[in-house]
Amino acid sequence: MERVRASASVAEALHYLHSPNPAMHKPVILHRDIKPANILLDADGLVRLADVGLARMHLSDRSHLTLTQVGGTACFLDPTYMSTGQYDTSSDAFSLGVTVLMLLTGWPSFEPGTGTVFDRCDGREAGEVAAREAGWPADKAAQMLTVGLGLAEPRKRNRMSVAEAALALKGLVGALGVVEEVRVLECLFCMAEPTAVRLACGHATYCRPCLHL
């Protein structure tokens, strides 16, 4: 359940980054370094997507960014990006796929002699690759495998989108009966205390200690 919820949370966060919102002046944001090491759990077990050091805003009308220097982590990099320098939302999807497969299997992204986690999973049944210590139900493991392989598909044109993955993983969370916690948003100023002050629009934005600032 924890692995499924983590996968779904990261997919949802990434889908939010990829979704522009002109009303809020929010462009498409490409994370560019999705991997398990950048998925953090807070004290309440809630998932945080971390490390935006490589993130780029996509402001142009073109479908991708063209980057002169390849950045990211080996084995999580989209093959199309490495060969062309063109990075788009599907490149983040590839990294997410590798991460989902690692959460399913418990295997590293790459092992000498056996290849990438995608290579080890491709063409195999979920029961053969799912981590036994996680207690995967066979049908749920199969769904995770489908999402992971779909996202990490080397051929960009056949790759599952982050939006599709977020929807599938959210459905899997519900199927497992995982109760999603409702959290109190943090103060936009100190980012530590819960929001408590209600604005005229009805939204809580700041905590009481920060209101006077």
Side-chain angles (χ1 to χ4, degrees):
M1 289 184 178
E2 291 173 348
R3 296 184 192 208
V4 170
R5 183 166 60 179
S7 299
S9 295
V10 174
E12 187 175 4
L14 197 53
H15 179 49
Y16 167 76
L17 291 178
H18 289 175
S19 303
N21 187 339
M24 299 295 291
H25 306 287
K26 178 193 168 296
V28 172
I29 299 173
L30 304 172
H31 187 280
R32 299 183 62 221
D33 201 15
I34 301 294
K35 59 184 178 180
N38 288 338
I39 301 172
L40 309 182
L41 299 178
D42 66 14
D44 298 318
L46 298 176
V47 173
R48 308 282 183 157
L49 182 56
D51 193 354
V52 292
L54 292 176
R56 296 283 290 271
M57 291 189 295
H58 185 21
L59 301 171
S60 73
D61 294 330
R62 301 183 66 181
S63 61
H64 60 268
L65 293 178
T66 300
L67 304 168
T68 56
Q69 291 185 326
V70 173
T73 303
C75 301
F76 294 88
L77 294 174
D78 173 16
T80 301
Y81 165 51
M82 288 194 291
S83 62
T84 66
Q86 297 178 355
Y87 199 102
D88 59 16
T89 56
S90 71
S91 303
D92 272 347
F94 180 87
S95 304
L96 176 62
V98 175
T99 300
V100 169
L101 292 176
M102 292 175 69
L103 285 169
L104 170 66
T105 63
W107 296 339
S109 59
F110 176 82
E111 281 189 317
T114 58
T116 66
V117 66
F118 179 90
D119 295 332
R120 297 178 68 185
C121 290
D122 191 27
R124 299 176 67 181
E125 297 294 329
E128 300 177 67
V129 301
R132 293 184 179 181
E133 67 272 15
W136 286 98
D139 58 333
K140 305 304 184 281
Q143 292 177 56
M144 277 285 284
L145 181 61
T146 297
V147 173
L149 291 175
L151 288 166
E153 166 60 53
R155 292 163 296 186
K156 177 180 173 179
R157 64 180 181 276
N158 296 332
R159 193 174 300 158
M160 180 184 289
S161 70
V162 171
E164 292 173 309
L167 186 62
L169 291 170
K170 188 173 182 179
L172 187 53
V173 167
L176 282 170
V178 179
V179 177
E180 295 191 75
E181 300 176 52
V182 178
R183 60 179 174 173
V184 178
L185 295 177
E186 296 169 344
C187 171
L188 290 181
F189 191 86
C190 68
M191 300 183 70
E193 297 295 324
T195 56
V197 178
R198 291 287 169 182
L199 303 182
C201 61
H203 293 94
T205 306
Y206 303 106
C207 66
R208 295 190 185 281
C210 289
L211 179 61
H212 69 284
L213 299 175

